[in-house]
Amino acid sequence: MSATQQGTKLYPGITRPLSLEGPTEYDIHLTKELQKTLMLYGLYDSEETAKLREHVLKSLDEMTKKFVQFVYERQGFSKEQAVKAGGKIFTYGSYRLGVNAKASNEQIKDITPVTDAFVPVIKFKYSGIPIDFVCARLNLEEISEDIDLKDPEILRGLDAHSIRSINGTRVADDILSLVPNMDTFRATLRCIKLWATRKAVYSNVLGFLGGVAWAILVARVCQLYPHASASTLISKFFHILTSWSWPSPVMLKAVEDGPAFANTKPWNPKLNPTDRSHRMPVITPSYPSMCTTHNVTQSTQRIITGEIKQAAKIVDKIMAGSAKWPQLFEAHSFFKMYRQYLQITVVADNYELQLKWTGLVEARLRQLVIKLEAIHSVMQVHPFMDGFSETCLYRTSTDKVTVSQGEKYDNNRTIGKMKMEVDVTIPIEEFKRMCRSWTEYDYRHMGVEIDRLEQSDLPKDVTALGKRKILESNVISTTNKIAKRDEGTELLTATTTVVL
């Protein structure tokens, strides 16, 4: 573990702490007020929900073992050998870091395989608990209950997808081992995750920062101020990132050497040209070290840093007593910011197919952002991280085919005929062709279309989400709509939107 010595004590991190001061009474007061605010947003599990999560994990572990046994027996192994082969569930992400929020109350539903993702994942909800289920195959004869994933040798011979899957758990464990105070880290991270979600800059897929990246950034600030309260760490967090000299990387420890893997190399901009292209590198502490922010684009970097600067000003007021914590978490005003928008409509006439189709398009949406950024007269492309439910109705089989191909929605209202100030035809058509190249694509049952919208064309339920001055320059933004299940004459749709 990387550590630096301050006097007679060792502190985790690649540099010495900037301050060893502890919290004042006022700092403690602000931290208590913060925790009250976080509770109002449902960021702490109840005892009942915590037990439900444990039940879900136990159930998934049992399912995994049964699945492995089933596969082994089909391949001709004896039942004893199949049972001995084992299988095990490991948690990662927010749950393993101890910062998961409340869940709803539903059974298993919305099973969505996303095979084109950087880490292939099966998304679903189990008893209301959202699950991102990733898989890895180890080069071991059996998976024992006490298997330890810390040793990098366990990665030997694995494909890149398996390494990334296992590293989810290994990275979370390393982050926790590299922070000086786990409770303060968790309180600070809950705050930053809520802020990033409210400001719509929490999405690795769309080029913003995901949960691991935000966790590493918070952990680094904790290393620099090991005895500070959560309120102080939040202030330091925004001020440090406001002045950070990107693309200088953020790391919790030095990049380690380890066993050579043909499929994966540790992050090293000196040796790997791809690593030199990373705009805001935030590096994982586990071998092989990887950049968690490789999806960040020129536009999303500008948006993230802009929100960080605004947050720093608000937190300054909170620290001075002239503002309250809820002001930090005021919702974004995405739908009031721009003059023109692009709306990507993803449609299918089958519920399960729609989940897969939407997942694929969303996984590729960042490619559209990059293509739009390449247009000389476009200053910024702003993808929106969330979806909105919508259901379309059809009365005839012809209407069903028409709508399932993405040509119209909202009860036969056709939109998207307005003229854009910038010609984005080529990148739009290239993106649609990219999506339609999916091996399971069938034009008779699914479609993807991109419509041009003026701000005045946006639905009232989204335009009411806050106010901010409209930008006059050429900007592109993105929003998502996920529709409901097809029942009777209702056609399931999913809509994703980008704005210009």
Side-chain angles (χ1 to χ4, degrees):
M1 179 180 81
S2 294
T4 57
Q5 188 166 352
Q6 191 92 356
T8 59
K9 185 173 181 179
L10 287 174
Y11 291 93
I14 58 175
T15 63
R16 291 184 176 186
L18 295 179
S19 172
L20 296 179
E21 290 185 14
T24 64
E25 290 186 8
Y26 184 62
D27 294 333
I28 295 172
H29 166 72
L30 284 178
T31 298
K32 290 180 178 178
E33 292 299 309
L34 170 65
Q35 291 173 332
K36 291 178 183 178
T37 303
L38 296 179
M39 291 190 70
L40 292 176
Y41 280 95
L43 294 192
Y44 292 91
D45 265 348
S46 64
E47 184 177 349
E48 180 182 0
T49 304
K51 290 181 179 179
L52 175 60
R53 290 185 191 277
E54 292 177 2
H55 168 74
V56 167
L57 289 172
K58 182 179 179 181
S59 180
L60 289 174
D61 192 66
E62 293 172 352
M63 290 182 192
T64 299
K65 288 178 170 61
K66 289 180 180 179
F67 172 75
V68 172
Q69 180 180 342
F70 172 75
V71 172
Y72 261 66
E73 290 181 352
R74 282 190 60 181
Q75 294 179 348
F77 291 90
S78 67
K79 183 175 182 178
E80 181 181 359
Q81 290 173 312
V83 172
K84 192 176 181 180
K88 188 171 177 61
I89 289 290
F90 286 90
T91 59
Y92 67 101
S94 295
Y95 183 80
R96 198 167 190 89
L97 290 172
V99 293
N100 49 280
K102 288 183 179 179
S104 57
N105 185 21
E106 304 166 11
Q107 296 302 311
I108 292 182
K109 61 175 296 185
D110 296 346
I111 300 178
T112 311
V114 185
T115 57
D116 274 23
F118 189 64
V119 181
V121 60
I122 303 173
K123 294 176 174 287
F124 58 94
K125 285 188 176 181
Y126 189 163
S127 296
I129 306 296
I131 305 290
D132 283 357
F133 195 85
V134 300
C135 302
R137 180 184 296 174
L138 303 184
N139 287 326
L140 300 173
E141 292 185 2
E142 62 183 69
I143 305 298
S144 62
E145 283 300 306
D146 60 352
I147 186 172
D148 185 2
L149 301 183
K150 293 180 181 179
D151 186 355
E153 285 293 334
I154 203 169
L155 307 177
R156 189 177 294 280
L158 305 189
D159 59 47
H161 288 155
S162 290
I163 291 175
R164 293 174 194 143
S165 296
I166 290 177
N167 265 8
T169 296
R170 299 176 73 242
V171 166
D173 288 346
D174 278 348
I175 290 174
L176 291 177
S177 71
L178 289 166
V179 295
N181 185 310
M182 204 174 295
D183 291 338
T184 305
F185 163 74
R186 285 172 171 158
T188 307
L189 181 55
R190 287 182 191 275
C191 171
I192 298 304
K193 283 166 62 74
L194 175 60
W195 165 82
T197 301
R198 298 287 289 172
K199 300 304 179 183
V201 291
Y202 190 106
S203 174
N204 179 54
V205 173
L206 293 180
F208 296 108
L209 273 58
V212 174
W214 290 118
I216 292 173
L217 292 175
V218 169
R220 182 62 184 133
V221 176
C222 289
Q223 290 179 341
L224 296 174
Y225 300 89
H227 303 308
S229 65
S231 58
T232 299
L233 289 172
I234 291 163
S235 174
K236 299 296 185 183
F237 176 90
F238 289 118
H239 279 285
I240 287 174
L241 291 183
T242 294
S243 58
W244 192 264
S245 181
W246 303 109
S248 296
V250 174
M251 297 186 291
L252 300 181
K253 57 188 259 188
V255 174
E256 294 181 352
D257 293 326
F261 302 132
N263 296 318
T264 305
K265 298 178 181 178
W267 185 83
N268 189 332
K270 294 181 179 179
L271 298 179
N272 305 326
T274 301
D275 294 343
R276 289 196 290 271
S277 68
H278 297 154
R279 307 184 67 90
M280 299 178 69
V282 178
I283 310 304
T284 59
S286 306
Y287 182 85
S289 295
M290 301 179 186
C291 180
T292 66
T293 51
H294 60 277
N295 283 343
V296 172
T297 70
Q298 178 180 344
S299 293
T300 55
Q301 179 181 5
R302 186 184 298 117
I303 294 162
I304 294 167
T305 54
E307 292 292 352
I308 288 173
K309 290 178 181 177
Q310 290 297 318
K313 295 177 181 178
I314 295 172
V315 175
D316 281 348
K317 294 180 180 179
I318 294 173
M319 301 299 286
S322 60
K324 300 294 184 181
W325 287 111
Q327 291 175 249
L328 179 64
F329 308 124
E330 289 181 355
H332 62 84
S333 54
F334 176 85
F335 299 103
K336 291 289 187 180
M337 292 175 66
Y338 306 113
R339 296 177 59 86
Q340 297 181 318
Y341 292 75
L342 295 177
Q343 178 171 266
I344 307 167
T345 307
V346 185
V347 193
D349 60 4
N350 172 278
Y351 182 60
E352 287 73 22
L353 179 62
Q354 179 262 340
L355 290 173
K356 294 174 65 177
W357 178 221
T358 302
L360 177 130
V361 175
E362 289 183 344
R364 296 182 177 180
L365 187 56
R366 189 178 68 93
Q367 299 303 317
L368 175 60
V369 173
I370 294 173
K371 291 177 183 296
L372 293 169
E373 282 183 337
I375 300 176
H376 178 70
S377 55
V378 172
M379 291 181 57
Q380 178 171 293
V381 186
H382 188 166
F384 187 63
M385 56 172 271
D386 272 334
F388 301 93
S389 295
E390 185 166 63
T391 302
C392 293
L393 303 177
Y394 59 84
R395 295 179 177 82
T396 67
S397 57
T398 301
D399 287 342
K400 178 179 178 180
V401 172
T402 300
V403 178
S404 66
Q405 292 175 353
E407 295 182 16
K408 61 181 179 179
Y409 77 108
D410 194 16
N411 297 338
N412 300 323
R413 179 171 67 91
T414 302
I415 63 172
K417 302 305 181 183
M418 52 83 66
K419 184 177 180 180
M420 300 293 291
E421 295 177 0
V422 179
D423 186 1
V424 294
T425 304
I426 293 177
I428 285 176
E429 292 304 317
E430 288 177 348
F431 176 73
K432 290 194 291 187
R433 283 197 297 270
M434 180 193 302
C435 294
R436 291 166 180 164
S437 66
W438 183 38
T439 55
E440 297 184 44
Y441 177 75
D442 186 338
Y443 74 92
R444 296 169 298 179
H445 301 287
M446 64 187 78
V448 55
E449 290 297 332
I450 301 181
D451 299 313
R452 293 112 166 128
L453 301 179
E454 290 281 3
Q455 188 192 98
S456 58
D457 292 326
L458 294 172
K460 292 182 179 179
D461 58 340
V462 299
T463 56
L465 296 176
K467 298 180 180 180
R468 187 182 291 179
K469 183 179 179 181
I470 299 174
L471 303 181
E472 298 296 335
S473 54
N474 293 323
V475 183
I476 305 185
S477 327
T478 323
T479 61
N480 307 314
K481 290 192 177 180
I482 309 300
K484 301 176 182 177
R485 184 162 187 167
D486 178 4
E487 296 178 358
T489 59
E490 293 184 347
L491 174 69
L492 169 80
T493 80
T495 308
T496 308
T497 315
V498 182
V499 191
L500 212 213

